[in-house]
């Protein structure tokens, strides 16, 4: 197990990419939270405010052909991987222009072009699918890695353990990314896991445990893990410690944890780093923020204007 | 036997009694069973949370016998079985029946088989409670209703109460039963209210209830479908004999047959998949045993044969409604074949 | 598309052709599919062993695409699905369908739902092969036949070939199909022989076959039951129209209906559990659609509603036989109701 | 993880108990192997010749009220726990006097009096049942421990991992006993497990890895583990390395391993120890052997004379 240090030599355009994606996820999530009580979205929402760094640092190193399999907390990682915002919004609005044509809803997002072959609401199972993608690559289907992305409590499901074992037995190009926010709904990790997650994973493969609120640390560790997996060094496990600022589901703040922006906010931390090292001006930061707001406005307008799916076209 | 204390006759509640929600009727059955018998305990994901299984686990008087679990439904079912084989009476609770599929090896290969494998030398007093049905755009993995699948499996009883009164009495009966019972509660019934006696009581497992009387058509509908069918009968004052089987298995075929022998017509409304489901069983069994009484082919009204979609208009079209049930009833009453999906 | 190379017309084999066992017909379909299409691979417990799945995995010409697995059926099903979503065409093999229950979450919540959840934007070319049926006193956990359970689930095709010819042609069709297929092979058919063309060929999924012609009674029987029913027809030269559906789902109801419209009588023989099974579906669907043609109630002959016992006399009594099928047929032909279990 | 040493201070009657049970299991298994080709037993048999020390050393410390849950390789552990021989034989012969009345067959043995609440042919699942017994004890059902007994390959199933986690979370009185013969049918452990089994288990609970061909070592380690579990110290994991001399199923020798009696035979080793320390005479050993043969003769006669179950009494 390695505990990574952020790489302070990050290039400006990389840092900007990370900031843009994190801001896109954050601002989109906040907008969803704001709109949600009006019932325009007839689907549950699992927001990831506070957790943006994990998916962003990871996806910075993934290509369109790499296959990312998600669980129920989908919006952030899907946007990080490249799902167009308007397709996400239209799906949440239940429109036929949504990425799943309105058939999937919030938890089932598909974007084959950007390496999102689907996500699942049954906790745990999708971990195996990422291993299948790795196996496909190994058997000649293409040059890509499979990525299984899941929460801390998904590691309680037997399929987690079975998946790691098989990936390790065959040295498959698979990344296991555990977004550890310390909770399964309202149950703290101490009540759902008798063991250290990394301790178990490290019995089977190289692991890294990372401060998941530090996008540079995630970026750094993910970069090394992805290149090892691509380089034929077998599966890699990334354990990212993070915080879920919102309730498990819905638009409300979580009352089980305390958030300290200085310590916990990945966006704040990156912006401070970039500002202090002269990479951005306050003006640029403000511009970025409002540019993204406009993107979100446009995506919502797109969703609102889009037709609802026609039940008569629903095939049996 | 602590159980003898809550044996009572089967009787529908008289009017003017205490009203309870379906959710609280379930809660009360658990709470009273736990008070009467220290072998009863509850286990399940978030079972120990006040919002556990939509509030039906709140404020139980024996919190020390209410255990939360990790997301390990398969092992947890085995744990419940092992506890049942070791002298306790577990109630395993689930927020959605879709999660039971994770535990299918335990439910079908273990729980359902254990008594048969040993020539019934052993008792398996295990209740598995689960919410069924659609929510709010939850999609194909979180909206299923699988009572038909479990009813196929020998060794399992399957109960689907539609009223608060039935929910309390049948859950008490399930807990008291010495064989495995699956107890399915439709999400949309949770806030319905109805008269529920304060005392604990049991209802017979395998006994249907008439929700409406009539002579033109027999309608069999379990769970939420029963309530929707009742609405349809009342809306249009239809001449329908409406039977809520209450338990899918064992099935009270006698009550259904007696009705069909009178009406000559049968419609089964089942909020479950269509192929080889509960509706097929009722139609096949009725035809086998009351063929000569039938004046028209028995009909089924179910979900379409596909996974549940998420978007509102799709979700609403996927689920039958009182209106669609009413239409099917009227067509059958008029001697026309009903539209099936 | 390499697949275009093995499209051929549907035709029963002429006499005098090469004979193959059922087991080797299955093997040959896999072998030839693997040769034609490098995306095809096989995975499963002991799949890479020469005795894997009773010998049907031996000597394949691409051993590098035949992978053994640990006892992790649930994750392995997810691995197969992930591979199918990443451009390959997996065949997941199992020694017993009882083990599929361990993988039920993946099969029902994932594999079956994946296309519907995304409005069919994605293909899932995945075949799950499994042996079904009783062995040698193996007991309730190792002798099940669960095609009825899987047929309930929207999104799954279910195939149950009864002859070597069908086994090869339908397995090739399953591998070629872009949606999930469950392929069930009854253990007792493995050594049966029959004419099988050397070339690869596909048979249509959803098309029944007539095994015997007659006008007095329609019998629908899949898998081993078809072979037993054929024996019963031939033993007594019965006036029976025997239909092997070959695929449980999609079901070739047209062929069955056409027959029942001629004979007026129906018997479904299904070696599976009785309640809400395939037999119930056929009876219900036929009654719905050919009610006026029926002169007697459709009947079912299935397992009893309990887990399979182990001891020889119990096991043999549990399973229908050609003799018992013959009896049921004769009673129906004589206008008496058949004995159902 | 502790690696136990045999306790050389074993008392004569304890050693004799161990020897008797191991001999009973061995000679019964050999007789089954001899009779099996005649088809008098219409049921598969999974013999445990070579593995006798594991169940024997364990069961020496179990009481009738302790609950032992078994998998498919049942005969040896069931006899070790106290299942009467004639009830086993009658079950194998498919008779109504069998422990499961002929309904179970070789893999499904029940003896409620002796703490055998049933065994299962689906690999892995019964591990959870032992945890359920431990939970029952914890919730006041009685003073007993739950024991989950399984092979090395059962640890590949997710239910293994889930069961350990739950037992550890609640500190339940459960013993996990892994009879590691290095094989899953014909697949060697190196192909089914990427990790060390004890390594994973030790993330969750105290473990011991033992030479499972040395009954004194097993006896010693099991004694300590059982008393720790009884004493409220939570679940314990025993990993017993052993060898399967026969094929996975049926009456034939396994051709995948080499057996060296001096090194591998638990009975030979115990007899040698007892003889060299003056606990038994060669005459006593021979007498024991033939006494057990007579027991087996009687059990077979009992089975042969017993009626077969009547299909007409089989309830639906
Ligand atoms: C098999 C299964 N059991 C239970 C649930 C209900 N459920 C949905 S999300 C969740 C918590 C998951 O926690 P974690 O994996 O840590 O992800 P997080 O929500 O924290 O991102 C639970 C219990 C489920 N979806 N699937
Ligand atoms: C879920 C499941 N998958 C596959 C099998 C087939 N099977 C029976 S025993 C066995 C090997 C088990 O090996 P192990 O657990 O090490 O026990 P051993 O046979 O070595 O005692 C297998 C694969 C099964 N019974 N159950
Ligand atoms: Mg979490
Ligand atoms: Mg082994």
């Amino acid at each position: 197990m390695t505990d990574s240090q952020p790489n302070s030599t990050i290039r400006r355009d990389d840092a900007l990419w990370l900031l843009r994606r994190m801001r896109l996820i954050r601002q989109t999530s906040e907008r969803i939270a704001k709109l949600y009580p009006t019932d325009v979205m007839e689907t549950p929402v699992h927001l990831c405010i506070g957790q943006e760094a994990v998916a962003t640092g990871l996806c910075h190193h993934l290509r369109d052909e790499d296959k990312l399999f998600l669980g129920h907390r989908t919006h952030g990682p899907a946007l990080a991987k490249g799902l167009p915002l308007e397709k996400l919004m239209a799906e949440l609005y239940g429109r036929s222009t949504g990425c799943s044509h309105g058939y999937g809803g919030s938890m089932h997002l598909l974007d084959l072009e950007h390496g999102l072959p689907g996500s699942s609401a049954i906790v745990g199972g999708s971990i195996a699918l990422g291993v299948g993608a790795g196996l496909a690559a190994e058997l000649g289907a293409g040059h890509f890695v499979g990525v299984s992305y899941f929460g801390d409590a998904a590691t309680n499901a037997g399929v987690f353990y079975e998946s790691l074992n098989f990936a390790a037995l065959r040295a498959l190009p698979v990344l296991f990314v555990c977004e550890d926010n310390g909770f399964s709904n309202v149950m703290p990790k101490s009540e759902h896991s008798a063991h250290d997650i990394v301790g178990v994973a490290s019995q089977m493969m190289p692991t890294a445990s990372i401060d998941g609120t530090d996008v540079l640390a995630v970026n750094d560790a993910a970069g090394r893990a992805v290149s090892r997996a691509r380089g034929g060094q077998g599966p890699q496990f990334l354990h990212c410690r993070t915080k879920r600022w919102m309730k498990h589901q819905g638009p409300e703040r979580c009352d089980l944890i305390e958030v300290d922006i200085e310590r916990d906010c990945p966006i704040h931390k990156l912006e401070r780093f970039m500002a202090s090292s002269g990479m951005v001006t306050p003006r640029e930061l403000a511009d970025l923020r409002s540019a993204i707001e406009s993107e979100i406005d446009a995506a919502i307008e797109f969703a609102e204007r889009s037709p609802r799916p026609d039940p008569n076209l629903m095939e049996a | 036997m602590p159980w003898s204390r809550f044996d009572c006759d089967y009787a529908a509640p008289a009017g003017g009694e205490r009203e309870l929600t379906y959710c609280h009727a379930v809660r009360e059955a658990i709470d009273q069973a736990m008070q009467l018998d220290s072998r009863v305990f509850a286990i399940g994901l978030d079972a120990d949370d006040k919002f556990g299984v939509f509030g039906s686990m709140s404020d139980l008087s024996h919190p020390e016998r209410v255990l939360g679990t990790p997301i390990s439904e398969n092992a947890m079912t085995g744990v419940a079985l092992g506890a049942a084989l070791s002298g306790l009476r577990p109630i395993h609770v689930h927020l959605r029946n879709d999660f039971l599929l994770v535990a299918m090896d335990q439910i079908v290969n273990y729980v359902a088989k254990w008594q048969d494998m040993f020539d019934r030398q052993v008792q398996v007093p295990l209740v598995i409670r689960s919410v069924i049905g659609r929510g709010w755009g939850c999609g194909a993995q979180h909206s299923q209703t699988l009572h038909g699948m479990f009813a196929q499996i020998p060794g399992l009883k399957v109960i689907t109460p539609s009223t608060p009164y039935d929910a309390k009495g049948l859950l008490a009966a399930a807990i008291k039963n010495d064989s495995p019972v699956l107890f399915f509660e439709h999400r949309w019934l949770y806030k319905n209210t109805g008269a529920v006696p304060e005392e604990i009581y049991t209802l017979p497992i395998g006994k249907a209830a008439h929700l409406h009387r009539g002579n033109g058509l027999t309608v069999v509908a379990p769970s939420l479908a029963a309530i929707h069918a009742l609405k349809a009968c009342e809306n249009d004052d239809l001449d329908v004999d409406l039977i809520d089987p209450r338990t899918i298995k064992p099935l009270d075929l006698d009550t259904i047959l007696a009705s069909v022998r009178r009406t000559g017509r049968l419609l089964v409304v089942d909020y479950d998949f269509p192929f080889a489901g509960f509706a097929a069983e009722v139609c096949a069994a009725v035809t086998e045993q009351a063929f000569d009484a039938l004046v028209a082919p028995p009909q089924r009204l179910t979900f379409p044969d596909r996974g549940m979609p998420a978007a509102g208009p799709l979700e609403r079209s996927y689920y039958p409604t009182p209106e669609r049930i009413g239409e099917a009833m009227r067509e059958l009453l008029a001697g026309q074949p009903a539209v099936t999906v």
Side-chain angles (χ1 to χ4, degrees), chain A, chain B:
Chain A
M1 181 180 130
T2 58
D3 212 302
S4 325
Q5 292 301 319
N7 182 343
S8 53
T9 63
I10 186 124
R11 284 176 14 212
R12 178 173 187 273
D13 54 349
D14 286 328
L16 265 178
W17 190 97
L18 295 171
L19 181 59
R20 277 195 62 86
R21 285 279 154 120
M22 289 205 296
R23 278 230 150 274
L24 178 68
I25 297 170
R26 169 74 56 92
Q27 291 172 224
T28 299
S29 304
E30 284 173 341
R31 186 72 72 90
I32 292 170
K34 200 170 138 201
L35 287 167
Y36 198 71
T38 67
D39 283 355
V40 286
M41 303 173 202
E42 295 183 63
T43 185
V45 288
H46 300 85
L47 302 177
C48 66
I49 296 176
Q51 307 185 185
E52 299 87 351
V54 181
T56 303
L58 166 72
C59 290
H60 192 207
H61 302 281
L62 297 181
R63 306 172 185 155
D64 282 348
E65 57 271 29
D66 293 327
K67 300 191 191 328
L68 174 64
F69 288 92
L70 301 172
H72 57 287
R73 202 170 297 285
T74 51
H75 312 168
L79 288 174
K81 185 72 168 63
L83 174 67
L85 179 61
E86 68 275 13
K87 289 199 172 186
L88 170 64
M89 276 299 177
E91 191 61 33
L92 297 180
Y93 272 75
R95 306 302 163 116
S96 60
T97 52
C99 60
S100 307
H101 299 181
Y103 281 72
S106 159
M107 300 186 286
H108 304 300
L109 307 180
L110 183 88
D111 184 351
L112 295 176
E113 244 176 82
H114 296 98
L116 287 166
S119 57
S120 165
I122 305 289
V123 170
S126 54
I127 301 174
L129 274 57
V131 178
L135 179 64
E138 196 69 15
L139 291 177
H143 295 285
F144 50 79
V145 299
V147 186
S148 299
Y149 193 97
F150 48 91
D152 47 298
T155 71
N156 297 149
V159 66
F160 162 76
Y161 166 79
E162 294 181 353
S163 298
L164 262 62
N165 184 35
F166 187 73
L169 276 169
R170 300 216 157 248
L172 300 177
V174 179
L175 243 78
F176 296 95
V177 182
C178 178
E179 189 178 49
D180 183 351
N181 58 21
F183 280 93
S184 169
N185 188 2
V186 293
M187 186 189 241
K189 196 167 58 169
S190 58
E191 288 174 32
H192 74 57
S193 288
H195 52 278
D196 179 32
I197 295 168
V198 186
V200 167
S202 64
Q203 300 290 318
M204 300 187 237
M205 62 189 64
T207 60
S209 187
I210 309 144
D211 175 355
T213 65
D214 179 346
V215 75
L216 297 180
V218 177
N219 178 57
D220 197 48
R224 277 181 284 143
V226 171
S227 78
R228 275 199 299 258
R230 275 200 220 293
Q233 292 182 62
Q236 311 285 323
F237 190 91
L238 289 183
H239 176 250
C240 306
R241 303 180 304 271
T242 178
K243 278 192 179 165
R244 189 194 73 198
W245 297 9
M246 310 295 281
K247 284 198 169 159
H248 170 64
Q249 198 272 121
E252 287 160 35
R253 284 270 155 166
C254 177
D255 50 11
L256 299 167
I257 61 156
E258 268 177 40
V259 173
D260 169 346
I261 296 292
E262 297 285 326
R263 181 191 62 196
D264 297 329
C265 180
I267 294 174
H268 177 84
K269 290 203 252 190
L270 180 60
E271 287 187 345
R272 197 179 48 193
F273 167 82
M274 290 176 75
S276 71
S277 58
M279 279 187 192
V280 284
T281 63
R283 175 64 186 267
E284 282 171 316
L285 289 178
D287 285 352
L288 174 58
R289 189 173 191 130
S290 65
I292 288 174
E293 282 304 297
S294 308
E295 261 185 72
I296 295 172
D297 291 339
I300 287 174
E301 219 191 290
F302 171 80
E304 283 175 343
R305 269 201 335 259
S306 293
R308 295 184 190 273
D310 180 353
N312 295 316
L313 299 180
M314 178 167 71
E315 293 168 60
Chain B
M1 266 298 286
W3 287 114
S4 56
R5 284 183 47 200
F6 82 78
D7 252 327
C8 82
D9 282 337
Y10 164 56
E17 286 185 25
R18 182 187 63 142
E19 298 253 318
L20 224 55
T21 62
Y22 187 95
C23 173
H24 284 116
V26 165
R27 197 205 70 81
E28 195 167 82
I30 296 177
D31 196 43
Q32 293 179 337
M34 286 183 126
Q35 286 175 33
L36 284 167
D37 190 333
S38 64
R39 298 169 304 175
V40 176
F41 75 101
I43 183 168
L45 195 72
D46 293 335
D48 54 345
D49 180 56
K50 62 179 176 297
F51 301 113
V53 193
F54 298 120
S56 63
M57 303 299 292
S58 60
D59 299 317
L60 294 171
S61 32
H62 286 286
E64 78 285 3
R65 280 187 267 135
V66 182
L67 316 179
T69 72
I71 306 182
S72 306
E73 285 88 350
N74 193 35
M76 292 308 111
T77 307
V79 166
L81 173 59
L85 293 170
S86 303
L88 297 188
R89 307 185 82 86
I91 308 170
H92 193 189
V93 305
H94 296 268
L95 192 59
R96 299 179 194 279
N97 71 152
D98 315 76
F99 306 156
L100 294 181
L101 293 164
V102 179
M104 205 68 173
D105 174 41
Q106 286 290 342
I107 297 175
V108 177
N109 283 330
Y110 283 74
V111 171
K113 301 288 186 292
W114 215 258
Q115 292 189 284
D116 283 350
M117 288 199 305
F118 305 109
D119 194 24
R120 322 250 162 118
Q121 291 180 76
V122 65
Q123 299 182 341
V124 180
L126 167 57
V127 177
I128 299 177
R129 266 187 67 198
S130 171
V131 174
I132 54 176
R134 83 171 172 96
W136 173 253
C138 288
Q141 294 179 328
H142 269 44
S143 314
Q144 294 174 90
T145 294
L146 298 167
H147 54 240
M149 170 176 259
F150 291 103
Q152 275 196 355
I153 305 305
L156 300 178
K157 295 185 169 64
V158 179
I159 303 185
T160 52
S162 65
T163 67
Y165 176 73
D166 289 352
K168 180 173 174 186
L170 286 168
L171 184 50
I175 298 170
K176 189 178 167 184
N177 200 278
D178 287 326
S179 293
V181 176
L182 296 191
F183 195 86
F184 290 120
E185 306 152 21
H186 199 290
R187 195 175 164 137
W188 287 7
L189 297 170
Y190 257 55
K191 291 184 182 158
N192 285 6
T193 54
V196 178
E198 280 181 46
E199 279 284 288
I200 193 158
Y201 59 96
T202 62
L203 297 178
I205 296 174
K207 197 100 196 62
H210 264 92
L211 298 192
H212 193 264
R213 300 275 177 174
N215 294 306
L217 166 67
T218 301
V219 173
V220 175
S223 190
L224 177 64
I227 303 302
H228 281 183
L230 178 60
K231 246 185 224 153
C233 290
E234 290 175 345
N235 282 349
D236 278 345
D237 198 15
L238 298 174
D239 186 20
V240 160
D241 212 42
L242 173 58
I243 295 171
D244 174 358
R246 304 201 294 187
T247 64
I248 297 291
K249 196 178 182 185
L251 177 63
D252 182 359
L253 199 56
D254 289 344
T255 298
I256 297 169
L257 288 171
S259 172
V260 172
R261 288 203 177 97
R262 220 159 12 83
T263 64
R265 294 171 197 272
L266 172 66
L267 170 69
V268 187
V269 187
D270 187 28
Y271 290 5
D272 193 350
F273 300 131
F275 195 94
F278 169 68
E281 175 61 33
V282 176
C283 290
V286 165
T287 309
E288 261 161 18
Q289 302 197 26
F291 183 69
D292 293 333
L294 289 170
V295 300
Q299 301 285 327
R300 298 180 266 176
L301 182 58
T302 66
F303 295 155
D305 200 357
R306 62 157 292 134
M308 174 92 166
L314 301 176
E315 203 184 29
R316 285 185 284 272
S317 135
Y318 185 94
Y319 243 70
T321 54
E323 292 66 42
R324 276 172 58 206
I325 297 171
E327 247 172 72
M329 286 174 171
R330 282 191 302 273
E331 282 187 55
L332 265 164
L333 283 166
Q336 304 289 324
V339 180
T340 56
V341 185

